[in-house]
Amino acid sequence: MSKVWWKESVVYQIYPRSFMDSNGDGIGDLNGITSKLDYLKELGVDVLWISPVYKSPGADNGYDISDYQDILDEFGTMEDFDRLLEQAHQRGLKIVMDLVLNHTSNEHPWFIESRSTVNNPYRNYYIWRKGQKGSEPNNWGAMFGGSAWEYDTATDMYYLHCFSKEQPDLNWEEARVRKSLYDMMTWWCEKGVDGFRFDVISMISKVQTFPDGKKDGGLYGNGWPYIMNGPKVHDYIQEMNREVLSKYDIMTVGEAAGVTLTEAKKYANTNGKELNMVFQFEHMCIDEEKYGKWTTKRYNLLDLKRVLSKWQTGLEGKAWNSLFFGNHDQPRSVSRFGDDRPEYRERSAKMLATCMHMMQGTPYVYQGEELGMTNFPFEDLTQCRDIETLHYYAELTENGIYSNDQMMDCIRARGRDNARTPMQWDTTMNAGFSTGTPWIAVNPNYKEINAKEQLERTDSLFYYYQQLIRLRHMNKIMVYGHYKLLLPNHKDIFAYKRNYYGKEWTILCNFSEQEVTCKYANLTGKKLIISNYEEHKKGILQPYEALVYQE
Ligand code: GLC
Ligand code: CA
């Protein structure tokens, strides 16, 4: 396996709006990030992935870009960005930009031109179709609810938007679109950024006949088979690689909704023709039900083990995994996969971190995960900000599928705002995030859960992450070692081995609040690598115990 820096790195994701506010307007910003670089350095991560900071009207918190080469006023200026980049580099931290290439904002000048007349030079930058018998060109539903087509009076045609109507999809069939995007990316690379996270990159190539999707009881047809991993997606990414990526020593990760193993081996192939790695989402879907993520169903550990092991084994030596239990689109990992009750929160969060960081791939830490930040006790919709949550609340309650109370239960369990509440720095007002009124409420548990408290306590979750990250930097087995699942049918224990040039590590994680017997839990004659307990019991894993040893 070839050895490269991005395989040996740990990435930290920053959601700028919620990370640190430097000027008291209630919104996190670039100078706020710069002011916390020493904290991130202390944690020990190598790379910062920063969610979009470009000009944007903010329909989807920056994932609707209206100018790729400028900074949103709320976040600061290009000078602030340059300073952040420089200060990060001074500390040996790399910066990865989040790029949305599947769509722009409806306020992007390209779209304003495009929609004006059918003959406009930018018309073909987006996907325009005539209606069928007075309604949409086909029955596809959008990711954020409603139809994927929006009627535009100016030219009496519809445009495609896989997400909200404020996010029209770019037409990648048009060579000028691709050229414009590559030029823009080159500009960022020349500035010295260290890589890109490509938003929904698996969706850029649509089946050009735009056929109706199957309707399985839902309100709209399922267009995703004609959108995800579409016919030309690999041609486009290879072209982008030739034109831009291959010219720089950068890290690239593609968000690949709907990706299969076979597809991932193309996107993230070790031949380097496309991307370094992809985010797959199979383990993020094991707790879905009839209405997708909108449920309170708890996942089953057997599914988690099966899915993650499939990806560990399936990509080994052929492509590269990204490892994550949370991001800005997912609930808080300790609430979802661990146990966020006060008596178990930190222990189970350490266990989850161990389980993930010991796997093969590049680990991603989502801001606040290193503190064990939890889901938010949303009580009513006025506390929510996320466009997806607001759309689905309307769609599912207005169609009589859920009552208000049922939908609020789902939002508390799955809503994206859970991950977007402000970073909890200390016990002062607004958790030290802002001196103004935060754009979204701070989690009421900030007096117990905050960075200051954890930095003052040596056995904290923060220092446990620091230890895991150090271990990875010092032990190639953690990065490159071969993965083998143990106890595949055990319902409470996630256990596996890593092997590397004659070395063997055993990783044991008890996902339950009970003591569980485990024949591998025996440190006699072994070297302890890390654990979230001081004392160990032979043959037993204690509640949420994580134990890693070397043979
Ligand atoms: C990705 C982003 C998400 C955004 C969507 C549309 O999934 O992670 O936050 O809403 O793309 O750009
Ligand atoms: Ca601010």
Side-chain angles (χ1 to χ4, degrees), residues 129-149:
R129 289 289 180 280
K130 283 216 166 354
Q132 270 195 59
K133 300 177 206 119
S135 71
E136 290 80 11
N138 72 23
N139 70 3
W140 296 355
M143 198 69 92
F144 293 157
S147 166
W149 297 95

Side-chain angles (χ1 to χ4, degrees), residues 64 102-108 111 125-128 159-171:
D64 49 323
N102 177 69
H103 47 267
T104 67
S105 160
N106 60 342
E107 293 183 25
H108 194 291
F111 188 73
Y125 265 52
Y126 295 85
I127 303 171
W128 294 96
Y159 65 86
L160 182 73
H161 61 88
C162 288
F163 292 86
S164 75
K165 65 179 189 326
E166 292 84 7
Q167 295 164 294
D169 280 51
L170 283 164
N171 178 19

Side-chain angles (χ1 to χ4, degrees), residues 60 82 223 290 294 364 442:
D60 187 17
D82 292 342
K290 190 161 168 212
W294 302 107
Y364 288 72
V442 175

Side-chain angles (χ1 to χ4, degrees), residues 21-29 74:
D21 173 19
S22 71
N23 62 351
D25 66 355
I27 298 170
D29 45 51
E74 287 170 339

Side-chain angles (χ1 to χ4, degrees), residues 182 185-186 189 239-248:
Y182 303 156
M185 289 165 61
T186 300
C189 288
E239 180 184 74
M240 175 165 90
N241 182 298
R242 283 193 306 273
E243 298 295 323
V244 189
L245 311 181
S246 61
K247 300 183 179 160
Y248 301 91

Side-chain angles (χ1 to χ4, degrees), residues 40 42 54 69 101 177 205 226 234 237 295 314 323 388 400 417 437 450 454 470 549:
L40 298 166
E42 172 77 6
Y54 318 92
Q69 284 163 259
L101 305 180
V177 166
S205 165
Y226 310 107
H234 298 291
I237 297 178
T295 162
L323 310 170
E388 183 192 50
D417 284 328
T437 307
N450 62 73
Q454 299 213 14
R470 274 195 194 144
Y549 60 77

